Amino acid sequence: MGTVTMALPQKPQPGTGQLEVHAFCGSSSISALSCTYPLKLVSPPSRPTDHAVLVFMMSYGGGLVAGDCVDLNIRVRPKSRLALLTQGSTKVYKTPSKSIRSHQNLTVKVEEGAALLLLPDPIQPFKDSSYEQCQIFHVHHSLSSILVLDWVSEGRTARGEAWEFFGWKGRNEIWSLPDPDKGTKKKLLVRDSMVLDETSSTKRSYSDEMDDLGVFGTLIIRGPLFRALGDFFLAEFSRLPRIRANGKPHEQIDLRSGEFVESVKTWSATSVRGSVIVKFGSRDVDVARRWLRDMLLRDGTVGREFGERSLLCLQ
């Protein structure tokens, strides 16, 4: 008689995660969630008024040590909503060698009528660290909605760090999902990259190239749910003076105190293939956080559609 062999289930690789969200009774619910060390996914209990699932993406120890690799795959089913946040900046710790990098990869499929809100705290690379991330979003060409914040700070300012890492690489891509009924294949819609490494002219420190910026970030806005928000950023940018005297930062009115406070040092907004791309730079994280919060509150879309808890990283 022949022998029968049974394949044992494969052990999940360290740092991998799976998350799936589906629409349920006019709201959204998690249908699958798993993660392995050092990645941790936590979803607090939902409220009756919540339209979206809220999930916090964290790492044990608050950051990534040299050689850590996080690989998270997410599927947002039709007509569901997901708000993905963090509970603090993702720290990138020192590496013994510039060739040993910490990695984070995120792959998201946002199906027809679904929406993703990605509002993490900034990446904080420590001195002598090395980091690389890749975030890929597959969307319905016209009926998926995404709002993605991607930002990086200069390091531990309390210790005098100012862009003193070995290297930092980040890439965001948006692809349209294939449509078998129409015979269309997937198509690259947006690719946005930022590279700071030792191939630059500085060879080591990037502070001179950053024009006194302590944080630099990108906001990607796309889809019908966020159309008003994208138009709001474009309209606000069109009203900015094109020449500012003495290189002074902008000012804005704080919605809580009603007083004028320092705003980001520079920002821009442009429309690219159905997406609005916002670039901003600030002297420190708190100023950028306040500017982003006030812009999103003035428009109101995020709080109304995802709940006030979705703005926790900007508090």
Side-chain angles (χ1 to χ4, degrees):
M1 295 179 61
T3 58
V4 177
T5 59
M6 296 181 62
L8 296 175
Q10 293 185 349
K11 185 178 180 179
Q13 294 296 313
T16 58
Q18 300 285 337
L19 175 61
E20 184 172 306
V21 176
H22 68 277
F24 179 74
C25 294
S27 184
S28 299
S29 180
I30 295 176
S31 51
L33 187 152
S34 65
C35 55
T36 59
Y37 180 91
L39 174 64
K40 187 176 183 180
L41 299 174
V42 176
S43 181
S46 60
R47 299 172 178 174
T49 55
D50 289 345
H51 298 296
V53 167
L54 181 63
V55 176
F56 290 93
M57 180 174 61
M58 300 175 286
S59 56
Y60 289 87
L64 302 172
V65 301
D68 274 352
C69 183
V70 170
D71 194 352
L72 176 58
N73 284 271
I74 297 175
R75 185 173 186 179
V76 189
R77 292 283 193 168
K79 299 182 180 180
S80 62
R81 297 179 185 177
L82 169 64
L84 187 62
L85 314 179
T86 57
Q87 284 192 322
S89 60
T90 300
K91 302 169 180 63
V92 184
Y93 294 104
K94 180 179 179 180
T95 178
S97 169
K98 62 183 179 181
S99 61
I100 303 177
R101 290 181 178 245
S102 303
H103 293 262
Q104 279 202 123
N105 300 311
L106 175 65
T107 304
V108 187
K109 185 178 182 181
V110 186
E111 299 183 358
E112 185 176 345
L116 169 72
L117 177 72
L118 178 58
L119 287 182
D121 292 89
I123 302 293
Q124 186 182 35
F126 288 7
K127 182 179 179 180
D128 296 334
S129 64
S130 186
Y131 175 80
E132 184 171 352
Q133 74 172 28
C134 178
Q135 300 185 143
I136 300 178
F137 307 92
H138 301 273
V139 303
H140 186 278
H141 70 281
S142 61
L143 297 178
S144 296
S145 300
I146 62 173
L147 175 60
V148 174
L149 173 61
D150 181 20
W151 49 336
V152 57
S153 71
E154 61 187 332
R156 294 171 293 183
T157 54
R159 295 197 174 189
E161 295 179 2
W163 310 103
E164 296 178 89
F165 42 77
F166 285 123
W168 193 97
K169 293 183 179 181
R171 185 171 86 250
N172 295 295
E173 293 181 359
I174 302 177
W175 292 77
S176 64
L177 290 168
D179 189 341
D181 295 334
K182 296 182 179 180
T184 58
K185 299 180 179 180
K186 69 175 185 178
K187 180 181 179 181
L188 178 64
L189 302 174
V190 174
R191 175 179 286 145
D192 180 82
S193 299
M194 177 178 173
V195 178
L196 291 171
D197 62 21
E198 291 190 346
T199 61
S200 69
S201 60
T202 62
K203 301 300 182 184
R204 184 65 181 86
S205 175
Y206 317 103
S207 56
D208 293 337
E209 295 184 348
M210 299 307 289
D211 192 27
D212 200 30
L213 297 178
V215 61
F216 180 82
T218 301
L219 193 67
I220 301 175
I221 308 167
R222 182 181 180 86
L225 191 65
F226 297 117
R227 184 166 293 118
L229 178 61
D231 292 343
F232 172 74
F233 271 94
L234 291 172
E236 287 295 303
F237 179 66
S238 69
R239 285 194 283 268
L240 289 179
R242 290 297 174 259
I243 298 177
R244 288 184 290 117
N246 303 321
K248 293 182 179 179
H250 301 287
E251 288 186 338
Q252 66 187 53
I253 298 178
D254 187 272
L255 295 183
R256 294 179 177 178
S257 65
E259 299 176 351
F260 280 97
V261 294
E262 181 181 341
S263 182
V264 291
K265 185 175 181 180
T266 183
W267 72 278
S268 65
T270 187
S271 181
V272 179
R273 291 187 177 181
S275 301
V276 174
I277 310 297
V278 179
K279 296 284 186 179
F280 63 91
S282 174
R283 291 179 177 175
D284 61 63
V285 172
D286 287 340
V287 170
R289 198 187 304 271
R290 182 171 57 241
W291 174 76
L292 285 166
R293 181 192 67 218
D294 287 354
M295 291 289 278
L296 295 182
L297 287 176
R298 286 170 61 193
D299 168 74
T301 298
V302 173
R304 182 175 61 253
E305 301 294 341
F306 288 83
E308 295 302 324
R309 292 193 299 173
S310 63
L311 293 167
L312 284 175
C313 84
L314 302 179
Q315 298 300 317

